[in-house]
Amino acid sequence: MIIVLKPEATKKQVTHIVEKIRELGLKPMVSEGVERTIIGVIGPEDILRVQPLEVFPGVEKVMPVLKPYKLVSREFKPQSSVVSIGDVKVGGKKLVMMAGPCSVESLQMLQQTAKAVKQAGAQILRGGAFKPRTSPYSFQGLGEEGLKYLHEAAKSTGLKIITELMDPRDIALFEKYSDIIQIGARNMQNFALLKEAGQSDKPILLKRGLSATISEFLLAAEYILSQGNFNVILCERGIRAFEDQTRFTLDLQAVPVIKKLSHLPVVVDPSHATGQWDLVGPMAKAAIAAGADGLMIEVHPNPEAALSDGPQSLLPEKFVALVKELKKVATAVGRTL
Ligand code: PEP
Ligand code: MN
């Protein structure tokens, strides 16, 4: 249920309604818009039949949310959300660029990559320290050491850090070393992890599951918001389809579809979607044209020797050239990069 308040509703009236909702055993979620405040009500809504909220001063209307997801929906929050990571904003006119190696392999390679992507114009350094690998025999990441290297690289370049959390027990470490916590495609429906992320005050980037529908993706995000963390960025990274020429199939339709359904910012990862470095550029351009709020791109100083995802990683000089191209596409669609 959504309670839409009148534009002139006072703070006191909002507090009164919020208290009333709590008394009824329901959970209020307040969203303060530019023009008016909206209160989402989570819980068994039948209770509201005996206590209609329309009668409270300041209330304009009470509407059911027809979609299964509530807090992530545009019905709940009509204006697009902007997630702030310090001075970096995701969801505004300026596109955000997240770039870096698939895995953190050493401090030296990370510093080298960080410097290069910063110079090219990236604001956020990506790199996995705890890696979700299909085979238990593949490189699993450097663990806490990798997080420390990311922190070092951030200090020396001024870049923000995004890195993947796989185990809820590690959250304190991630809160210490990272700026954005990534939840990977394979963990999109790890509900314990989603709930933990929802209780963190760090922004969360949630990747779409390999076989997840958009509805399932948005419901996974709802888990995070329902715990109180509204700083969520969604990431389309390709889904499983019958085509096998590429690693996954980048569902670019998901970008405008999600933007219609949800207020959350959406970024696109063409590296994991295509699995091939020479396809990253074309799909990155297409993602910007489709309305993405940013990109996540894998860059490695020596892809041939990469411990994971070498074939899809761009050489730093290729990344520099691509960003130049992407700036033109951004301008063409009224954005900046
Ligand atoms: C990654 O970004 O490092 C990653 C493993 O991506 P995904 O979860 O999309 O496969
Ligand atoms: Mn990777």
Side-chain angles (χ1 to χ4, degrees), residues 159-193:
L159 289 164
K160 307 282 188 230
I161 294 300
I162 180 165
T163 189
E164 178 170 351
L165 169 70
M166 292 205 297
D167 188 329
R169 290 169 296 189
D170 292 332
I171 191 123
L173 269 184
F174 280 69
E175 286 176 338
K176 184 166 163 200
Y177 293 116
S178 72
D179 299 298
I180 306 175
I181 296 174
Q182 176 172 324
I183 295 185
R186 288 156 191 83
N187 271 317
M188 189 204 83
Q189 282 185 316
N190 180 338
F191 301 116
L193 191 61

Side-chain angles (χ1 to χ4, degrees), residues 284-296:
K285 290 177 194 168
I288 295 177
D293 296 301
L295 293 163
M296 173 179 273

Side-chain angles (χ1 to χ4, degrees), residues 102 126 131 247 272 298 308-309 312:
C102 179
R126 64 144 290 141
K131 294 301 299 177
R247 190 175 178 190
H272 288 91
E298 285 188 342
S308 58
D309 289 350
Q312 69 197 32

Side-chain angles (χ1 to χ4, degrees), residues 33-55:
V34 190
E35 281 185 18
R36 59 175 84 231
T37 298
I38 292 175
I39 306 173
V41 183
I42 309 289
E45 294 169 2
D46 296 357
I47 297 167
L48 294 179
R49 284 210 198 104
V50 281
Q51 172 60 84
L53 294 166
E54 284 91 340
V55 298

Side-chain angles (χ1 to χ4, degrees), residues 275-298:
Q276 298 166 42
W277 71 267
D278 56 340
L279 301 179
V280 169
M283 297 321 288
K285 290 177 194 168
I288 295 177
D293 296 301
L295 293 163
M296 173 179 273
I297 293 181
E298 285 188 342

